[in-house]
Amino acid sequence: MHSFGYRANALLTFAVTILAFICAIASFSDKFSNQTPSAQIQILNINWFQKQPHGNDEVSLTLNVTADLQSLFTWNTKQVFAFVAAEYETSKNALNQVSLWDAIIPEKEHAKFWIQISNKYRFIDQGHNLRGKDFNLTLHWHVMPKTGKMFADKIVMSGYQLPNAYR
Amino acid sequence: MGWIGETVDSIKSIQIRQLFTQAISLGMIVTSALIIWKALMCVTGSESPVVVVLSGSMEPGFKRGDILFLHMSKDPIRAGEIVVFNVDGRDIPIVHRVIKVHERENTGEVDVLTKGDNNYGDDRLLYAEGQLWLNRHHIMGRAVGFLPYVGWVTIIMTEKPIIKYILIGALGLLVITSKD
């Protein structure tokens, strides 16, 4: 009953249980953080807008993204993954979401930023429905914790429109 | 001579009973682990409710050796979700993020493109020959939670199977030689 084996086993089980409990509490504490992120996206320029040989529309944009995601960071946050997606609907598809740009924000200090970029991923439609199309630009963020539950949310900015003709 | 035979018999019978008790308790432990695993499969709606991250394609968020908890619901798949999928013909599940979604109007069918955060290009190279999109039936679950480092045990046991055998051998030896 008091051999080394038993003591080591009891100690190990207790340590693992406590560790699991601490991880759960750390994750639970994320519920109490007050989050007020803000963002603005501006389209500076439509670089080009063409129909590909396969028949799909493609557009290249330059965007100006301003965001303040500092309030999303808690002591249990490892990184925040932020990305900008264009959302629109067509006659064939009820919803299209195309990610244009993403970034990994490892620390709170980097979470307030202003950046001017052209789209990192190609904005290609399934078809040729993009002329004159109204679309939303949404800034999504995904908070990845040091342990526990991940959560994600977004800000939707609407009112953007693609030109009526190819250029 | 007779009582030697009697004591030998009684010793043998005690040992057999002890052996059975130990074997049955070991069996109970293994089956309760199996029950917990199957119950998790039911609760999370996914065929593998827990996966180990095997590659560095989602760093620095998920490193090799972390484990992810999955959940699968009927909710539509949206951009930004981290999904686990199987490519036809491969049996290793891949954990990457959805970057493009095209959802059909009435049927709810969806075309999805994924990419690892740490990869330069999207996953079309990983999909099957000629496959451009993933569909709902390829996706096994969404990652909802994560624990760091715990998956290294599984990785070590898979990549160096000798350690698995040593561990099981040692456990077996412990069971047989323990006095209760």
Side-chain angles (χ1 to χ4, degrees), chain A residues 42-50 58-63 118-119 123 130 132-133 135 137 160-167:
Chain A
Q42 208 186 344
I43 298 189
L44 287 180
N45 189 29
I46 308 267
N47 303 333
W48 46 265
F49 183 8
Q50 282 165 10
E58 182 173 352
V59 61
S60 166
L61 314 155
T62 303
L63 301 171
S118 58
N119 50 319
F123 187 165
L130 291 183
K133 177 64 70 180
F135 64 102
L137 283 175
Y160 304 92
Q161 193 184 29
L162 287 173
N164 286 322
Y166 294 126
R167 24 171 128 154

Side-chain angles (χ1 to χ4, degrees), chain A residues 1 6 23 78-79 81 83 85 88 90-100 102 104 106 120-126 140 142 144-152, chain B residues 58-63 66 68-69 77-82 97-106 111 115-120 133 143-148 178 180:
Chain A
M1 221 0 128
Y6 274 112
C23 285
K78 183 195 287 190
Q79 70 180 39
F81 184 87
F83 68 98
Y88 61 96
T90 63
S91 53
K92 182 176 152 200
N93 292 332
L95 173 68
N96 298 283
Q97 288 178 314
V98 179
S99 172
L100 298 177
D102 54 35
I104 293 178
K120 192 172 174 187
Y121 305 117
R122 302 169 69 180
F123 187 165
I124 302 179
D125 185 30
Q126 280 187 336
H140 297 244
H142 199 151
M144 294 159 84
K146 296 201 172 93
T147 75
K149 185 163 161 9
M150 305 189 279
F151 49 100
Chain B
M58 286 290 283
E59 289 195 5
F62 300 147
K63 295 195 170 43
D66 296 339
L68 293 175
F69 298 106
I77 299 173
R78 292 284 173 255
E81 293 177 346
I82 299 180
R97 194 184 293 272
V98 172
I99 60 168
K100 291 194 185 168
V101 171
H102 293 282
E103 185 176 278
R104 302 272 174 278
E105 179 80 51
N106 296 318
D111 285 337
K115 175 182 171 292
D117 290 347
N118 207 22
N119 288 345
Y120 182 70
W133 303 98
V144 293
F146 121 108
L147 272 183
S178 74
D180 64 346

